[in-house]
Amino acid sequence: MLQPRGDERRGPAPVDDLIGRFAGSVRAWPGRIALSGADESFTYAALDRWSDAVAELLHARGVRRGDRVLLRMEPDVGAVAAVLGILKCGAAYVPVDVRHPLSRREFIARDSEARALVGSWGEEPLPTRLGTVVGPADVAAARTASARSSRPPAGPGPEDTAYIIYTSGTTGLPKGVPIKHRHVHALLDSASRVFRFTARDRWLLFHSLAFDFSVWEMWGALGTGAELVVLPQWAARSPERCLELIRGRGITVLNQTPTAFAALAEAASRGETDLPDLRYVVFGGEKLSPPTLRAWAKRYGLAQPRLVNGYGITETTVFTTFHEVTEEDLAGDASVIGEPLHGFVARVVDEDGQEAAPGDIGELWLAGPQVAEGYLNRPDLTAQKFPAVAEGAAGTPVRYYRSGDLVSRSADGSLVYDGRADLQVKLRGYRIELSDVETAVRRHDAVLDAVVTVHEFKPSDFRLVCAYTSREDLPAVESHELRRHIKQLLPSYMQPARYLSLAGMPRTVNGKVDRAAVARVWTEEIPRA
């Protein structure tokens, strides 16, 4: 592993809440750059003052410890200051992507029982329960606030909720995952055992705050005295310009979903961009296919940057396993996710509920200090997905999370990812229930049935596609109509890329939809490039 130089790993003793970690970085490195955007930067001392002012503003408007605050802001330096301000009040932030449709925003605001909003709601009427609003202009103005007049109450403790991120739900509704400060602390502590992050690093905030990869990006930087660089809009939609930013800003830690990285790697293969500062590329959010890394590894090697496959789930606080990609990996096709991080217990459970033999496929069950305590307002689903298992001679109950992911153990004990056990898929870092999308498509009056699957258009280019049948008593619905219909109901990452009208839906002998047959139809319709 790359070793730090001098005292650059010097820092505060770890604490169990995020604001305590940040305060330690402020004390240790007040003059270091903590946060930078397109044309401005803030030292740790300046960011501390700015976020204090945001916290005071929230507190003055009634936000208290234990409250939940909806956060809907463009990803910029102000959004990071807002996160810190919310946490300094002892409250939890509930991120909503600015691209989410109104129906999802309204559900999250209602289900989370958020009492305040930081950011903007949009043109639609604000839900009445969001009585407190701190707009983007208020957050921006707080950076030049005068000396504080009064400190808000003491910040959070390790058992306080830090954030609630909503994932797609099995019933057609999103489900909230409350993550406590101690869960993120456990992640950072475990990561420090396998990574060599330092205060000299520069992390890129690449992902939406509504995707928990951003938690890793923010606190990987701010918890170690490093610099967090917010991806500017001019680089967000162009792999070539993103590479230009990574080189120009000296990014050392880059986090990517395999889908996003495939575009970045393709751009790198077409150009002559060197990346002398980049030390780590960390993958997460979806299956990593080693063949997609071969061209990158041929160009840059595996020593620097190091490529790390980090299997992760929102319910287990971002990352669960660690595996550094090797030449042996590149020679094969297996998606090795490696060993659990410190403190995790990983079980591979077969259909009979027994431990699967090495090489056999089973469902991955996880227990440890990063595992959430359940879903918000979903006791039945919590009981199903977070079972307590009596273990040891004393029969002490241990809470596991049933991931729904299928894995196996290789000969050396490493975990290998084999796919999903249900209709939940991972695309571009988002977990999506295919049944949710199907339900939304069927809500169109002219649709009789719909089946959503994932099609690989070209290597590592996976997208949702929808085959549907129309009602005979109504005019046939066209693809462009379904696009407009779905745009009003689902966020962009859940919207199918293609629609295909079928005369009849393929079915099995048992009368169930034959998903394999539908997938074959798509293969014939759009052959893999």
Side-chain angles (χ1 to χ4, degrees), residues 346-368:
R347 295 184 59 197
V348 182
V349 181
D350 63 21
E351 293 182 353
D352 297 324
Q354 303 300 314
E355 202 74 23
D360 288 350
I361 294 176
E363 182 183 7
L364 180 61
W365 289 32
L366 294 158

Side-chain angles (χ1 to χ4, degrees), residues 460-507:
S460 289
D461 181 17
F462 295 93
R463 303 183 220 169
L464 297 179
V465 291
C466 175
Y468 68 96
T469 56
S470 299
R471 294 172 60 95
E472 294 183 356
D473 57 341
L474 292 173
V477 60
E478 300 294 337
S479 295
H480 64 87
E481 295 179 51
L482 286 179
R483 290 184 193 281
R484 285 200 301 267
H485 167 72
I486 289 301
K487 189 175 181 179
Q488 303 303 314
L489 299 175
L490 299 175
S492 58
Y493 65 85
M494 294 178 72
Q495 297 171 16
R498 296 280 186 92
Y499 292 85
L500 179 64
S501 177
L502 301 179
M505 195 65 69
R507 298 189 179 276

Side-chain angles (χ1 to χ4, degrees), residues 422-497:
D422 52 23
L423 293 180
Q424 190 179 92
V425 298
K426 291 184 180 180
L427 286 177
R428 295 170 180 83
Y430 294 99
R431 283 193 293 149
I432 302 168
E433 298 283 354
L434 298 183
S435 58
D436 290 356
V437 187
E438 292 166 356
T439 297
V441 174
R442 293 190 192 107
R443 288 177 61 180
H444 192 288
D445 291 340
V447 172
L448 177 64
D449 203 0
V451 172
V452 175
T453 55
V454 177
H455 182 75
E456 188 175 20
F457 286 74
K458 58 183 180 180
S460 289
D461 181 17
F462 295 93
R463 303 183 220 169
L464 297 179
V465 291
C466 175
Y468 68 96
T469 56
S470 299
R471 294 172 60 95
E472 294 183 356
D473 57 341
L474 292 173
V477 60
E478 300 294 337
S479 295
H480 64 87
E481 295 179 51
L482 286 179
R483 290 184 193 281
R484 285 200 301 267
H485 167 72
I486 289 301
K487 189 175 181 179
Q488 303 303 314
L489 299 175
L490 299 175
S492 58
Y493 65 85
M494 294 178 72
Q495 297 171 16

Side-chain angles (χ1 to χ4, degrees), residues 385-417:
K385 296 290 287 184
F386 293 85
V389 180
E391 294 185 343
T396 303
V398 176
R399 188 179 71 257
Y400 280 86
Y401 174 68
R402 297 186 57 175
S403 71
D405 286 315
L406 298 176
V407 300
S408 56
R409 291 191 187 275
S410 62
D412 66 358
S414 295
L415 295 168
V416 178
Y417 183 83

Side-chain angles (χ1 to χ4, degrees), residues 7 98 139 188 284 318 371 403 458 502:
D7 68 345
V98 294
V139 173
L188 300 175
V318 190
V371 176
S403 71
K458 58 183 180 180
L502 301 179

